[in-house]
Amino acid sequence: MKFNTKTIHGGQENIDPAYGSVMPPIYQTTTFSQSTPGGHKGFEYSRSGNPTRAALEKSIASIENGKFGLAFGSGLAAIDAVIKLFKPGDEIISTNDLYGGSYRLFTSIFENFGIKFQFIGMGKAKNIEKYINKNTKLLWIETPTNPMMNIIDIEAVSKIAKAHNLLLAVDNTFATPYLQQPLELGADIVMHSATKYLGGHSDVVMGSLVVNQKKLAEKLYFIQNASGGICGPQDCFLVLRGIKTLHLRMQRHCENGEAIAKFLKTHPKVGKVYWPGFEDHLNHDIASKQMKGFGGMISFTTKEDTLKSATALVEKLKVFTLAESLGGVESLAGHPASMTHASIPKEERAKTGVVDSLIRLSVGIEDEEDLIADLKQAMG
């Protein structure tokens, strides 16, 4: 089954034999009747499992070419479950350019439980090996990274992970399985903030994991049930609906993203533009190899390179909405230093390029001419 068909039919089956519902029904129930103690039809309590959630988990696994899917109440709840695979004394190596919420979870929560994190540049995969020691258990990467759009070679990192008997987890939120499938490149775990492109309509908060290894899946299912960071059936229904148009939306996100990136690159009031589709973008060749397109996420700085100039620009936008998050049908503009990455200390942000003049765009699926006109008028 090809990807475009998988978004609609992948992993799905008729879960409503009573009425033949074409769409998986919303099973808005806490519990399920049993004919005898332990005698149920596969579901007993909705924290442990729910038919609507099960349909979503199968769908997400299908589009990532994985065997086991898990859905959580948020992307951070999904990451939380992964880190709970480890114990005090274990070490995790992560990219130094990652989502601020991930950094906060790692440093402010799990470091208190004795898990050690190292944040390093991963633009050159071979750079990772010198940080690996006998306590290292996991490599955590984003690619493209948030918000600097850095590209990490998943296949090269997976070879390093396997050579040292480590797990490799990839945050695939920005690329989505439409553009990139990390399991095919050697990753062990794929994470999504399904809030973003998978849901696609800025109306649901959710996270997901996909894996191929049965033992790893069993551990994660246990954590999902034991910790209880699950999502409700209504939210599962919304993301299932979103996935059915993922391929159509991502095509337009990519088209609009390219048009806006090229516009920004030539504008006199723009400083640097970060978009993997440019040939001079660091690791553009790797992006071309492991991605089917370059997506709709773009970051750029103002020529003045000041907080004041960035603030003035985003406040004047009319079609773009100044808001956190990304991946919806509507275009959003964000200021990472004060919004999504405010939890990272300023000096650490600056090291990776998250300066006060940096603006991050989530390019939606509107008409590209309207989006470009909005940026033009905001820049004056």
Side-chain angles (χ1 to χ4, degrees), residues 114-243:
I115 297 175
K116 183 178 178 181
F117 294 84
Q118 296 185 79
F119 301 95
I120 66 169
M122 293 184 174
K124 294 182 179 178
K126 63 182 180 181
N127 183 51
I128 298 170
E129 286 201 276
K130 63 185 177 185
Y131 295 93
I132 296 172
N133 60 51
K134 60 182 175 62
N135 296 320
T136 307
K137 297 293 188 292
L138 172 73
L139 303 179
W140 181 275
I141 68 175
E142 293 177 9
T143 182
T145 62
N146 181 6
M148 299 308 299
M149 308 305 298
N150 288 321
I151 300 298
I152 298 170
D153 190 333
I154 298 172
E155 192 170 19
V157 176
S158 75
K159 289 177 181 176
I160 293 169
K162 286 175 173 57
H164 294 272
N165 198 29
L166 310 177
L167 287 174
L168 170 60
V170 178
D171 182 337
N172 201 30
T173 299
F174 271 27
T176 81
Y178 177 80
L179 298 178
Q180 176 174 276
Q181 294 172 328
L183 293 178
E184 297 284 294
L185 298 169
D188 299 291
I189 302 170
V190 179
M191 194 286 296
H192 284 276
S193 173
T195 309
K196 314 305 194 298
Y197 287 107
L198 297 188
H201 293 78
S202 302
D203 55 8
V204 62
V205 174
M206 189 184 294
S208 69
L209 300 174
V210 181
V211 302
N212 269 330
Q213 302 165 39
K214 186 176 181 181
K215 286 187 177 179
L216 179 58
E218 288 171 348
K219 290 178 182 178
L220 289 167
Y221 282 125
F222 177 83
I223 293 168
Q224 180 192 43
N225 183 41
S227 292
I230 51 97
C231 42
Q234 174 73 29
D235 289 348
C236 292
F237 177 86
L238 289 172
V239 175
L240 265 168
R241 184 187 64 174
I243 288 173

Side-chain angles (χ1 to χ4, degrees), residues 3-4 175-180 246-248 250-251 254 292:
F3 185 86
N4 293 356
T176 81
Y178 177 80
L179 298 178
Q180 176 174 276
L246 176 64
H247 55 304
L248 298 173
M250 287 306 297
Q251 181 180 345
C254 290
K292 297 171 187 170

Side-chain angles (χ1 to χ4, degrees), residues 8 19 25 35 47 54 63 82 102 167 170 192 199 212 228 234 240 252 258 260 268-269 279 284 311 342 355 378:
I8 298 165
Y19 301 105
S35 57
R47 172 170 42 76
I63 60 176
V82 173
S102 304
L167 287 174
V170 178
H192 284 276
N212 269 330
Q234 174 73 29
L240 265 168
R252 181 57 61 86
E258 180 176 359
I260 286 176
K269 292 192 176 180
E279 289 186 5
H284 166 77
T311 301
V355 295

